[in-house]
Amino acid sequence: MPAAHLEERGITVGIRDILNKEIILFDGAMGTMLQQNGLKLGQNPEILNFTSEDIIKNIYRDYIEAGSKVITLNTFGANELKLDGTGYSVEDVFKKAMEIAKEVKGKDIFVAADIGPIGQLLEPMGTLSFDRAYEIFKRQVIAAETYGADLILIETMTDLYEIKAAILAAKENTNLPVFCTMSFEADGRTFTGCTPASMAITLEGLGVDALGVNCSLGPNEILEIIKEIKEYTNIPLMVQPNAGLPSLSFGEISYDIGIDEYLEGIVKILDEGVSVIGGCCGTTPEYIKKIHSEIKYRQIVKRPEVKRNLICSPSKIVEIDHVRVIGERINPTGKKLFKEALRNDDLDYVLKQGIEQVEAGAEILDVNVGLPEINEAKWMRKAIVQLQGILDVPLQIDSTDREAVEAGLRYYNGKPILNSVNGEDEVLDSILPLVKKYGAAVVGLTLDKRGIPETAEERVKIAKKILNKALEYGIKKEDVFIDTLVLPVSSDGK
């Protein structure tokens, strides 16, 4: 039954109920509207929730009257670092913003808790740790759910690592739908070098409800980025373009794309299968009203299904569509110097191994730091973060220790491979949930408690068991690679 009919019958409809059924219209720019209403340069926009409540209320109301199905709370910068010294807490801001929205929204309007970048670079590019970023976002998302938001919008991100921290905070601490957008430059990368493809692959793996692009560019420039993104994901796509480039004249900021030209670009974006649309910097209720008049007569354009075997770092994707070279020298097995390096906390030795393999042509690096006398989870995290700080190839996390596996998956930036699982039930039930949660690919070894079967038929049986179990956990078939453990004839003494 269509969502509108459910609403007429008094049945509660969530944003997920309509996500794949109709084009969802968000609002336009909050910042632009605040500037038009007197926001001064350097002034904290979120404080206006308390000092200028009527202005915020009228902005929400104007966007709703223009046709927005989703309005975005004035909470973009409401994190504990940016609010420090203002006299207001994260909870204060989210509560007040939601109270204002509830006064005007009506039962058929959704409210998105708006979460923007923290404002500091994460390690290894900056000094902010992943865990600290997670805690900052955790406080925001809990406030969003506590005070009644319908969904979380994580937007205007440029660092794939930062957006991963925000997504994990949302997924681990709330039950709200999560929509995510990143901002790209004219060269097709974010400020930190993330590609549209890497964003799409990683965010789909992390289980967001919608992903896409906002800010920075106008509709025509974003169109080319969306064309790339849709080649790598099946997730609903979201776009909120700027109204072109800003200019400052007599203290007033204006943008160079008018409403009609903007709509022409939006139509092209919708033709690519985008199903969540809205506006960013420079857009006003007039822009949203024009989009609404167009989408009233449109259905979502069906996109071709994507079935690809993909892994990535923020700046490089590797498609497993033919033989790929995996460097496996980051492994202490049988290596005295490597073991000494691990015992002595000599990270430079490990990094050198990685650099040499990439220079020799490795497309993926296997990372194994397992040694009984060290803290493998701690070492795995350190190795993953530092290797990604100097190399752009995707990594394969190699461990039999569950804590080390989770450390590798959690602190990896992108979509990795996990090496490995086998046919033992306890291994599958322990490790596959982590593969699903963190959106990784996984290698399945055709062995179980009895060892490696002698016949091909027995190995195929184990392979099918691994695949079926992965599918039960919601892991895509394309993300399961089977190693049939074909050994040299000489290795078994026959």
Side-chain angles (χ1 to χ4, degrees):
M1 183 179 292
H5 293 170
L6 291 173
E7 289 169 354
E8 289 171 4
R9 293 174 57 182
I11 299 173
T12 301
V13 176
I15 193 78
R16 289 189 178 116
D17 295 315
I18 64 172
L19 186 53
N20 288 300
K21 297 181 176 67
E22 61 185 75
I23 297 171
I24 299 173
L25 181 58
F26 269 63
D27 50 14
M30 172 63 74
T32 296
M33 296 298 293
L34 291 176
Q35 288 163 1
Q36 291 182 3
N37 283 275
L39 178 69
K40 301 294 189 294
L41 187 65
Q43 188 177 4
N44 190 313
E46 288 74 32
I47 304 307
L48 296 183
N49 291 321
F50 303 93
T51 61
S52 304
E53 181 177 335
D54 287 342
I55 289 176
I56 306 300
K57 188 184 300 182
N58 288 335
I59 292 171
Y60 291 156
R61 183 183 288 117
D62 288 347
Y63 277 125
I64 291 169
E65 291 177 353
S68 295
K69 187 73 173 179
V70 183
I71 56 171
T72 308
L73 293 181
N74 182 32
T75 56
F76 177 81
N79 68 61
E80 60 192 66
L81 299 186
K82 291 183 177 179
L83 290 174
D84 185 38
T86 65
Y88 297 98
S89 69
V90 171
E91 293 74 19
D92 291 337
V93 174
F94 275 85
K95 182 180 181 181
K96 186 63 176 178
M98 195 68 212
E99 286 174 352
I100 298 170
K102 285 179 178 177
E103 290 186 35
V104 297
K105 78 179 192 72
K107 67 176 183 179
D108 60 341
I109 302 298
F110 298 105
V111 177
D114 194 14
I115 296 178
I118 292 171
Q120 294 185 16
L121 288 174
L122 270 67
E123 296 172 337
M125 287 187 292
T127 59
L128 188 68
S129 73
F130 183 88
D131 288 336
R132 179 74 177 104
Y134 173 91
E135 291 300 324
I136 291 169
F137 288 125
K138 177 181 176 180
R139 190 172 173 186
Q140 291 176 279
V141 298
I142 289 175
E145 186 171 58
T146 298
Y147 298 115
D150 298 298
L151 66 145
I152 293 168
L153 173 62
I154 303 167
E155 59 143 316
T156 321
M157 292 286 181
T158 60
D159 183 354
L160 190 63
Y161 210 31
E162 183 176 10
I163 201 169
K164 178 175 181 176
I167 292 166
L168 288 177
K171 302 283 282 186
E172 292 178 351
N173 297 284
T174 80
N175 293 308
L176 295 178
V178 180
F179 290 28
C180 297
T181 55
M182 295 189 76
S183 297
F184 293 85
E185 305 296 326
D187 64 0
R189 291 177 179 258
T190 70
F191 167 74
T192 62
C194 178
T195 68
S198 291
M199 178 203 73
I201 295 165
T202 303
L203 269 56
E204 176 172 326
L206 291 170
V208 303
D209 294 272
L211 62 86
V213 185
N214 82 301
C215 204
S216 186
L217 302 172
N220 290 331
E221 293 84 4
I222 285 180
L223 175 64
E224 298 308 310
I225 294 171
I226 281 295
K227 287 180 178 179
E228 178 179 350
I229 288 174
K230 75 175 193 175
E231 297 297 320
Y232 294 93
T233 181
N234 294 302
I235 296 296
L237 298 180
M238 176 176 183
V239 173
Q240 291 184 290
N242 281 359
L245 296 173
S247 59
L248 184 64
S249 178
F250 300 104
E252 297 288 331
I253 298 175
S254 61
Y255 290 78
D256 63 358
I257 295 180
I259 295 175
D260 291 336
E261 183 183 352
Y262 189 85
L263 180 63
E264 289 177 8
I266 293 293
V267 168
K268 294 175 185 176
I269 288 170
L270 293 172
D271 286 343
E272 294 299 324
V274 169
S275 56
V276 184
I277 200 74
C280 205
C281 301
T283 61
T284 61
E286 288 73 27
Y287 283 76
I288 299 304
K289 185 176 182 179
K290 195 77 170 180
I291 297 172
H292 181 254
S293 66
E294 170 67 26
I295 65 173
K296 285 191 299 185
Y297 308 104
R298 294 183 66 100
Q299 300 293 319
I300 298 171
V301 173
K302 186 175 176 61
R303 291 154 47 200
E305 186 177 7
V306 177
K307 289 186 176 183
R308 302 174 71 174
N309 311 96
L310 300 160
I311 60 170
C312 70
S313 67
S315 58
K316 179 172 286 188
I317 65 166
V318 174
E319 184 163 10
I320 316 297
D321 54 356
H322 60 276
V323 174
R324 294 293 189 176
V325 178
I326 301 180
E328 296 200 350
R329 284 172 52 190
I330 301 177
N331 188 323
T333 304
K335 299 173 184 175
K336 182 179 178 181
L337 291 178
F338 202 119
K339 291 177 181 179
E340 289 180 2
L342 294 178
R343 294 188 188 103
N344 296 329
D345 208 30
D346 183 1
L347 185 60
D348 288 343
Y349 182 91
V350 176
L351 299 181
K352 185 172 181 289
Q353 297 294 313
I355 293 169
E356 289 176 352
Q357 289 178 95
V358 172
E359 289 177 347
E363 300 169 279
I364 303 164
L365 287 181
D366 185 88
V367 182
N368 185 323
V369 290
L371 204 60
E373 61 264 41
I374 68 168
N375 184 328
E376 185 180 348
K378 182 179 179 181
W379 242 107
M380 179 66 79
R381 173 187 175 177
K382 182 165 53 177
I384 291 291
V385 171
Q386 294 302 319
L387 281 166
Q388 289 202 286
I390 61 172
L391 298 169
D392 65 353
V393 299
L395 304 181
Q396 178 171 271
I397 296 160
D398 188 352
S399 178
T400 57
D401 181 276
R402 191 182 190 279
E403 289 187 9
V405 165
E406 180 153 26
L409 293 174
R410 189 172 187 84
Y411 297 104
Y412 182 81
N413 191 4
K415 177 180 177 179
I417 302 176
L418 175 64
N419 183 24
S420 58
V421 296
N422 58 48
E424 297 179 29
D425 289 326
E426 53 267 38
V427 172
L428 295 172
D429 291 329
S430 174
I431 301 300
L432 289 181
L434 297 178
V435 174
K436 171 60 179 175
K437 175 181 178 178
Y438 293 106
V442 62
V443 176
L445 307 178
T446 54
L447 62 84
D448 55 23
K449 288 182 177 179
R450 299 167 297 173
I452 303 174
E454 292 187 3
T455 68
E457 289 77 13
E458 289 177 300
R459 296 188 195 192
V460 168
K461 185 177 179 180
I462 294 175
K464 287 182 177 179
K465 177 182 179 180
I466 293 170
L467 176 59
N468 289 334
K469 198 71 172 178
L471 294 174
E472 287 178 18
Y473 277 109
I475 300 166
K476 295 188 301 180
K477 180 180 179 181
E478 292 78 21
D479 287 336
V480 181
F481 308 122
I482 299 298
D483 183 347
T484 55
L485 301 173
V486 178
L487 303 174
V489 173
S490 61
S491 67
D492 61 6
K494 295 181 181 179

